[in-house]
Amino acid sequence: MRRALFAGLLLSGLGGCALLAGPVPFPDPHLPAVHAVAETEPVNTDGDAADDPAVWVDRRDPARSLIVASQKRYGVLLYDLKGKLLQSLPAGRINNVDLRDGFVLDGREVALVAGSNRSDASLDLWVLDPDARALRDVADGVLALGLHDPYGLCLYRSPRSGDTQVFVNDKDGRVQQWRLVARANGRVGIEKLREFRLDTQPEGCAADDTGATLFLGEEGRGVWVLGAEPGDDANTRTLIDHTGTGGQLVADVEGMSLLRAADGAGYLVVSSQGEHAYAVYDRSAPHRYRGKFAITDDLAAGIDGAQETDGLDLVSADLGGVYTRGLLVVQDGYNTLPAANQNFKLVPWSAVEKRLSLLPPP
Ligand code: CA
Ligand code: CA
Ligand code: CA
Ligand code: CA
């Protein structure tokens, strides 16, 4: 059963707003709860539009780090850590985004951002310019994937080959892996490495560049872990958690990301969308379940919690201020306080560490 409160009962001044279709759902009140400390400006269309964030860490000045986010009815958006919108790029129906630093293009290292584009079933690629604080298209033409409906996407830096690769999946269950190739014309092309299939609809994924593993969500079923190298057998995979009896997840299994601490330590965080919660697992095998939390309304600060989260991203870097232990960014399906189009919420990772007792021993 989906818990719900009528927005009008919960929030004064919300009445009459047409942005929220029906009641605002809320998580099990017994779950450990954390608050967001900032939120982005609302996206530029109503309905289910915000989807997947990716955090870029500015190593020169961490407070100037950026959030790239897909707006799946419009394109891509770029925000600063205060949630201020810096750029809107009308690129089409970009579903998921991800990024990696250190991609060599035109003889220098750049931050490369990839997006799955449902408008023309292609892969979009941009360079994130840290000085202009803007995205610039670098795809070498329309990078057609040959998929019917590109959906989930995540990047991978192979520890064996050093290649930057992308995993992109289709609602029909297909999962593709492509190498990203810097071309002489200063643009980036793709070369297909492998394709495999899940039984039902995948979406969220996250690749571990140290462990050479891919975490892959099957929305109605659970989270798989498998070898991320193109030569690995995708049929050799392990379900680390699942929906239904005995599992910790409530469908849909949605966005996921890794907190990459030193020496392969850290966590995998997964949106358990059907219960408006987030499940945490060890990054390293056997990927032990560490607990679940919700992001709830902070009425005093005027920042609402997050419900029905699609995409999320997580970084371990010290971004200063309240983010010294890292940052979690999640999509919020019901942006209230006040009611507005969907947006993204920023949560200090230290709050999750504290509520789930994940802190390292002193
Ligand atoms: Ca959604
Ligand atoms: Ca989905
Ligand atoms: Ca909310
Ligand atoms: Ca809000």
Side-chain angles (χ1 to χ4, degrees), residues 3 23-24 30 74 81 89 117 193 213 220 222-223 242 278 332:
R3 292 159 191 276
V24 177
H30 298 103
Y74 170 84
L81 287 187
L89 213 56
N117 192 331
L193 296 169
T213 49
V223 179
H242 57 92
Y278 310 85
D332 179 17

Side-chain angles (χ1 to χ4, degrees), residues 184-253:
N185 62 2
R187 304 189 74 84
V188 182
I190 54 175
E191 293 171 3
K192 196 168 178 184
L193 296 169
R194 70 169 162 165
E195 182 168 316
F196 56 94
R197 185 182 281 274
L198 297 185
D199 294 338
T200 66
Q201 185 171 307
E203 186 176 2
C205 60
D208 188 334
D209 301 351
T210 305
T213 49
L214 174 68
F215 298 91
L216 176 61
E218 192 170 343
E219 288 193 344
R221 185 161 184 199
V223 179
W224 295 100
V225 62
L226 61 148
E229 287 296 306
D232 289 339
D233 177 8
N235 292 315
T236 305
R237 56 178 189 256
T238 305
L239 196 64
I240 67 170
D241 198 359
H242 57 92
T243 61
T245 308
Q248 292 293 341
L249 296 165
V250 179
D252 290 352
V253 176

